[in-house]
Amino acid sequence: GSAWRFNGRGRPACRALRGSVARRLGCLSPSESRTRSRSRCGLESRWVRAEVVEAWEDLGVGSPQTLSEAERRIVAVWAADCAERVLGLFEADARGDSRPRDAIARTRAFGRGKLVIAEEIRRRFAGSAAARDASTPAAAAAARAAGQAAAIPHMGAHALGAAAFAAKAVGLASPDRAEAVGEEIHWQLRNMSAKTRAALRQLPPVGENCSGPLGPGLLALGLLGTIIRELQSGLKGAEH
């Protein structure tokens, strides 16, 4: 049957969804997700938007940010490369914490077809959790790069999140080198296969599609948003 139902308060909802997902994505702030802003039909509201985002992010239903399983495995290899380049920033800060390294290893194994999607989706937050224990911004960004890479089995768009956090980590670790972030973006664009480029070109522009991590939230803001726009511009240019 349909995945949509109405809950006891008359609100459209999707079965098996958790209410925190949209806020975790950053598409809506906690206050926005509670604020009704209805259209004439009475159904378009911010809480409806939140539940739609939850449906996409938890189930991958109909989102252009998901990519096919084969494409997710392809982009996972590149994302693991990006995250691994900054892994040392985290490990120098949190010696003995292997969570980001383990997340990158699982991402590589997924890219080689060794792991099943369902299990990796269940484990996708383990890498990012290490960021909360980091004591420097660069180390935290490096851990988040690994976490984004580990989330690729769920949605392919996380590959750009992994690259963005990796480039951000490089910049945070080299505050006196204004060119550091740009150099890392250049490396990322130069070191991807033709299949990776083709898969990543299918993703919507960051900030324009609220059906996954590239929605108008965390990855669309500030330096992360700038990095992903630069990457997507580079991908577009590579078509010609």
Side-chain angles (χ1 to χ4, degrees):
S2 171
W4 293 99
R5 62 177 172 82
F6 279 82
N7 63 20
R9 292 164 293 179
R11 298 181 179 183
C14 186
R15 282 193 285 268
L17 296 179
R18 297 184 297 276
S20 64
V21 176
R23 294 191 293 276
R24 186 171 68 243
L25 281 174
C27 289
L28 296 175
S29 69
S31 61
E32 285 178 321
S33 66
R34 294 192 297 267
T35 302
R36 300 183 186 183
S37 177
R38 302 192 180 198
S39 67
R40 289 173 298 177
C41 69
L43 292 178
E44 286 292 329
S45 67
R46 292 189 183 277
W47 50 255
V48 171
R49 282 182 56 209
E51 290 177 341
V52 169
V53 171
E54 290 166 9
W56 268 311
E57 179 66 6
D58 276 0
L59 304 177
V61 175
S63 172
Q65 300 192 41
T66 303
L67 302 181
S68 70
E69 178 181 340
E71 289 163 341
R72 277 174 276 164
R73 292 189 187 276
I74 288 169
V75 301
V77 175
W78 173 75
D81 290 342
C82 293
E84 191 169 55
R85 280 173 60 82
V86 296
L87 180 60
L89 295 175
F90 176 83
E91 293 185 333
D93 177 74
R95 299 184 185 280
D97 190 336
S98 66
R99 287 175 292 178
R101 180 174 290 276
D102 292 344
I104 293 170
R106 290 198 311 274
T107 303
R108 288 198 185 284
F110 174 76
R112 295 194 300 268
K114 302 292 185 180
L115 301 177
V116 297
I117 288 178
E119 178 61 25
E120 292 311 295
I121 287 176
R122 285 192 291 270
R123 301 178 65 178
R124 69 188 185 275
F125 300 119
S128 292
R132 294 192 290 270
D133 297 327
S135 62
T136 68
R144 293 193 185 283
Q148 288 281 321
I152 290 170
H154 189 218
M155 298 192 93
H158 285 290
L160 291 179
F165 271 110
K168 180 178 180 178
V170 169
L172 290 169
S174 306
D176 297 329
R177 295 185 63 246
E179 68 277 15
V181 173
E183 289 175 353
E184 192 65 15
I185 294 171
H186 181 67
W187 183 93
Q188 292 170 348
L189 288 168
R190 193 174 66 248
N191 288 274
M192 63 171 66
S193 69
K195 289 183 177 180
T196 298
R197 289 181 183 275
L200 293 177
R201 284 190 198 118
Q202 298 180 53
L203 296 171
V206 65
E208 295 186 12
N209 177 273
C210 196
S211 65
L214 295 181
L218 177 64
L219 294 183
L221 302 175
L223 180 58
L224 293 172
T226 298
I227 292 168
I228 293 178
R229 290 182 185 93
E230 186 69 20
L231 285 168
Q232 291 192 308
S233 177
L235 288 168
K236 186 176 180 180
E239 290 180 301
H240 307 294

